[in-house]
Amino acid sequence: MSEGRVPRSRFYDGRLYARTLDPLLSRLHQYVADQVEPTGRILDVGCGTGDLVWRLAPKADEVVGLELSPAMVDYANARRAEKSLSSVSFVLGDARRALAHLPDRHFDLATAVFVLHEMPAAAQAPVLSEVTRVARRLLCVDFRAPMPWNLAGIRNRFFEVTAGGEHFRSYREFQREGGLPGTAGRAGLVFEHVRYIDARTTEVGLIRRRADR
Ligand SMILES: C[S@@+](CC[C@H](N)C(=O)[O-])C[C@H]1O[C@@H](n2cnc3c(N)ncnc32)[C@H](O)[C@@H]1O
C-alpha cells in the first residue's frame, strides 16, 4: 500500500473556514457544480466543510466527500445531519490511500478544488493517479502556474505566505512543477484546459487516464 498522510486538523478548519473562506468560494463552488451533468457517483477530494458537496448532491445518486482534516469532517457531518441527505457521506482519510479498496472507475466523476497545491510535491502526482483510477474524470480547480503578477495574483501569494511554512512550500513546489498541467503530465495523465478564472490566476481543467474518455 502506498504511503499516505496522517489525518490532522488546522486551527481554521471547520466553523472558522465555513465563516470566512466558504463565502469567498461560494461562486466558484456553484460554477463547478454547474459544469456537472447528472450522473451516478461523484467523489469530492479534499472536500473541506462540504460546501461543494451540497451543491453536487442534486446532480448525482451518491456524493462522497473525502477529507484529511477531522475538524472538517466533523463539521460536514453535523451539517449533513441537519440536512438529512442520505445520498451524501464524508470519509476521513488521505486521498493517496483511503481509496485503495475501491475498484477502478467506481466514480463517474471526481472534483478537487484548491487541494493539490497544498499537498507536499511528492504526493501531488500519486494522488492524481489514484483519483483518476477510481474516477473516470477529475474536474480540478487550482492556482495557475506561473501565477500572474496582477492584483489577484499578489493577493493569492499573500494568502499562501500567511498560511504557513509547510503550506507555502507545497504551493511553491506546485508552481515549480507547472501547476495542474505539469503535475498531470508527470503522472502520465491527459490534461484538458477548460478555462482560467479569477483574473486568470486560477485554472480549471479536466484530468483523465489515456484510456478513459
Ligand atoms: C484549501 S482547502 C479546500 C477545501 C474545499 N475543496 C474548498 O473548495 O473549500 C484544501 C483541503 O484539502 C484537504 N486535503 C489536503 N490534502 C489532502 C489529502 N491528501 N487527502 C484528502 N484531503 C486533503 C485539506 O485538509 C483541506 O481541507
Side-chain angles (χ1 to χ4, degrees):
M1 187 188 290
S2 59
E3 134 202 6
R5 292 167 77 195
V6 176
R8 50 100 187 90
S9 302
R10 299 151 307 182
F11 75 93
Y12 53 83
D13 286 349
R15 185 185 300 269
L16 186 57
Y17 191 101
R19 296 234 167 117
T20 55
L21 286 167
D22 276 346
L24 297 177
L25 292 169
S26 68
R27 273 182 57 200
L28 172 62
H29 290 162
Q30 194 53 49
Y31 163 77
V32 172
D34 289 345
Q35 305 312 299
V36 175
E37 299 290 334
T39 189
R41 292 194 191 111
I42 302 179
L43 169 72
D44 185 29
V45 180
C47 64
T49 61
D51 189 64
L52 173 58
V53 169
W54 315 129
R55 295 167 200 263
L56 292 171
K59 299 279 184 88
D61 301 332
E62 184 185 351
V63 185
V64 176
L66 173 64
E67 225 328 303
L68 189 63
S69 160
M72 291 293 210
V73 172
D74 288 350
Y75 185 88
N77 271 326
R79 297 289 83 71
R80 177 181 173 271
E82 285 168 12
K83 292 173 190 278
S84 323
L85 266 177
S86 59
S87 63
V88 162
S89 59
F90 293 96
V91 173
L92 175 66
D94 171 31
R96 200 161 155 188
R97 73 174 167 195
L99 307 166
H101 63 290
L102 293 175
D104 290 3
R105 302 179 184 141
H106 181 72
F107 295 97
D108 302 287
L109 178 74
T111 50
V113 176
F114 288 131
V115 179
L116 217 62
H117 80 270
E118 69 162 70
M119 291 179 190
Q124 290 163 4
V127 164
L128 282 187
S129 299
E130 179 62 349
V131 171
T132 52
R133 180 187 70 77
V134 296
R136 288 175 195 279
R137 291 182 313 150
L138 167 63
L139 179 58
C140 222
V141 179
D142 219 312
F143 290 129
R144 181 182 180 183
M147 178 71 78
W149 279 103
N150 56 19
L151 270 182
I154 291 166
R155 177 208 61 202
N156 291 343
R157 285 181 176 86
F158 173 77
F159 279 131
E160 293 307 295
V161 171
T162 51
E166 188 190 333
H167 186 112
F168 186 57
R169 253 194 312 282
S170 298
Y171 162 80
R172 270 205 323 219
E173 285 163 356
F174 180 68
Q175 287 283 309
R176 256 200 304 273
E177 295 293 341
L180 291 177
T183 310
R186 202 153 47 90
L189 299 167
V190 177
F191 178 81
E192 283 172 37
H193 171 80
V194 175
R195 62 183 289 206
Y196 294 121
I197 53 174
D198 193 18
R200 302 179 69 78
T201 61
T202 299
E203 182 159 27
V204 183
L206 275 168
I207 301 175
R208 61 173 167 83
R209 284 175 159 192
R210 285 187 197 285
D212 286 328
R213 286 262 143 224

